[in-house]
Each structure stands twice: as C-alpha cells, then as structure tokens.
Amino acid sequence: MPEIPDLQHYLGDLESKDKASRIRTLSLLKDKLTLAPGSSDVGDHSMNYNLIDALANRLVNDPAERCRELSLTIIAECLRDMDPAKIVRSARCIVPAAAERFGSQPFREPVEELRLKLIETCTKILHQAASELSYERSHPITDILAFSLVSALTDRFPEGKRAAATAISNLCRIAPWSINLHFVALMIELSTNLSHQHAKTRLLTLDAIVDVTCVSTICNALPHVFRQVLGFFFKITLLMFALADCPAETRAYLHGSIQKSASVLCSLPGCLASART
C-alpha cells in the first residue's frame, strides 16, 4: 500500500458525525490509493493497519451505505499488493467485521450488493493468504468465515447464495479443517438450495456439497443430504429423457448436473461407512 501523507488526519475525519465529511474523506483516500504508485512494502506498516482497522469499523458501524461501500473498496485496494503474512494480520479485523454483516439473521448489511462484495472480499483474502493458512490446523479467520457462510447460504439474493457456495468450496481446498466445525449446518443449508429456481445456483451448490463431503469426517447430516441429492438426481435424469430433442447446450447442462449428483451419491455411502468404523 502506498504511503499516505497526513494519514492520521484522515483517520480522525473518519470519525466525523457528518456523513458528507466521512464520504469526502473516504473518497480522497480511495483516489490516493488508486492513483498513487507503490506497494504494501512502502510506508509505515503500523499506520497501514490503523487505516484497515478504521475502515473495518466503518463497515460495521457506519449508517451510510456510501461510506460502507467506499470503505470496502479501499480495503480491497489496501490488500491488493500485500504479501500473505500481512494479509493474515489484516484479515483478523476485516473478516470478523465483514462476517458480522453477512453472517447473521436478519442480515445486518441490508444492501444485497454489499453483502455480495463482503463475501467476495473474504474469498479473495482466503486466496491471497492461502500459503499462510494452509500451515495451520485451525485458524480464527477460517473458523469465523465458515460459521458466517451458513447464514449467507440463506440469502434470498441469488448472487449472494452463489458467492457463499463458492466460498465454501474454496474453504474446502484451503482450510478443510474449518468445515468440520460447521459441517451439519452447512450441509443442511446447501441441500436446501438444491431446489433453487436458478440453474447456476443449483450447480454451484452441488459443487460445494461434493467438496464438503470429500473433506469432512462428520456425517450426522448425510442421510438428509442423501435424500435431497437423490431426489434432485432423479428429477434431472427424468428431465434428460423428457427433453431428448432439446438443444445441445441444454443437454450438456443436464448431463453435467447428473454427473455432479452422481458424484455426491457415490461419495456419501463411503463417508457413512467410515463414520461408523
């Protein structure tokens, strides 16, 4: 992150009670970070972290949508060139703040697009910090994220549901141990989304179920999931036969759905067997 002269002055202005003043300060910070050359290795790191702390506080406590949106944009810019170790340190305040907005019911972030951006930002952090997080068997960042994604899966905003399913698949690859802590709740919400009206949501949900099943050793929810996936599998198979003369793209989608459903169905009995031994 490039060095910002008079950063302490900006931090003070972020606490202003005047919405217009906060928006002006955030807009100036955004412009300086976007236009100024530099990287995360430039400047006073303690000041950088102070800025991220202040922005995370804006995400949680600012009543103005524009202020929350600008804060999230600046956070993304701050993290863009950071190395994994610094990402992890920054994430200790960013992820809990973000998860608080999309990981509770009713959602504390009322704006659908901002909930989506919050999930996407956490997923990006996960990717950037993967080399650091993969060394540990447990980490508060991934544990908090896994827990918050249970509620995110219930979002009525389709893109939010899909972002949550994608984030779960990423967690399975980067921090699989965090999945076991919330396995039952995740699988129940994922299986509920198999009946979603949007095909893309159903496919990403199937992907996430496959990933969660493959990394988990806790199988209390598997009978419920098995029934859900089995029903979806038969519906898709019958539809495939009913639409034998449909366009090639539609047949390709249905075939992909059958393959993914079959993958889940084949993996569940093995998980049940291993759980009983």
Side-chain angles (χ1 to χ4, degrees), residues 92-114:
R92 289 172 184 162
C93 64
I94 297 171
V95 171
E100 185 176 334
R101 303 296 290 178
F102 68 74
S104 60
Q105 285 284 13
F107 292 116
R108 295 183 183 178
E109 176 50 67
V111 182
E112 293 177 339
E113 290 78 8
L114 281 183

Side-chain angles (χ1 to χ4, degrees), residues 32 105 124 147 149 151 182 197 228 247 268:
K32 286 180 178 292
Q105 285 284 13
K124 185 176 180 180
F147 175 73
L149 289 171
S151 293
H182 311 288
Q197 60 180 333
Q228 293 283 339
L268 292 179

Side-chain angles (χ1 to χ4, degrees), residues 54-260:
L55 293 169
N57 183 55
R58 289 296 97 205
L59 281 180
V60 176
N61 296 315
D62 203 303
E65 175 187 339
R66 180 59 176 159
C67 289
R68 299 196 303 276
E69 180 185 3
L70 283 168
S71 296
L72 189 56
T73 300
I74 296 169
I75 284 173
E77 186 63 30
C78 289
L79 300 178
R80 182 167 53 88
D81 296 317
M82 276 191 181
D83 63 50
K86 295 185 180 70
I87 287 282
V88 170
R89 178 172 172 180
S90 300
R92 289 172 184 162
C93 64
I94 297 171
V95 171
E100 185 176 334
R101 303 296 290 178
F102 68 74
S104 60
Q105 285 284 13
F107 292 116
R108 295 183 183 178
E109 176 50 67
V111 182
E112 293 177 339
E113 290 78 8
L114 281 183
R115 290 202 300 272
L116 172 62
K117 288 182 180 179
L118 287 168
I119 298 173
E120 290 175 340
T121 299
C122 288
T123 302
K124 185 176 180 180
I125 287 173
L126 195 64
H127 279 292
Q128 288 184 259
S131 60
E132 289 289 320
L133 296 174
S134 61
Y135 289 115
E136 302 187 41
R137 295 299 301 169
S138 179
H139 200 289
I141 294 172
T142 56
D143 293 347
I144 290 169
L145 184 56
F147 175 73
S148 66
L149 289 171
V150 175
S151 293
L153 288 169
T154 68
D155 201 326
R156 292 189 177 184
F157 185 43
E159 291 186 39
K161 276 186 186 293
R162 293 195 284 269
T166 299
I168 290 167
S169 292
N170 285 313
L171 267 177
C172 289
R173 287 185 281 274
I174 296 169
W177 54 86
S178 63
I179 295 297
N180 283 326
L181 295 173
H182 311 288
F183 173 76
V184 173
L186 284 170
M187 286 295 254
I188 289 174
E189 294 301 337
L190 283 168
S191 61
T192 299
N193 287 343
L194 282 174
S195 59
H196 194 269
Q197 60 180 333
H198 293 155
K200 188 173 182 180
T201 302
R202 296 195 298 271
L203 284 175
L204 288 173
T205 297
L206 270 174
D207 285 338
I209 288 176
V210 171
D211 292 332
V212 170
T213 303
C214 289
V215 302
S216 297
T217 57
I218 305 169
C219 300
N220 294 341
L222 285 179
H224 172 75
V225 175
F226 189 91
R227 288 194 298 272
Q228 293 283 339
V229 178
L230 186 63
F232 183 69
F233 177 82
F234 282 124
K235 287 179 184 178
I236 292 293
T237 303
L238 289 172
L239 188 58
M240 186 80 168
F241 284 109
L243 300 177
D245 296 326
C246 65
E249 289 183 2
T250 304
R251 288 199 304 274
Y253 158 69
L254 293 173
H255 187 260
S257 297
I258 290 173
Q259 286 184 320
K260 290 177 181 179

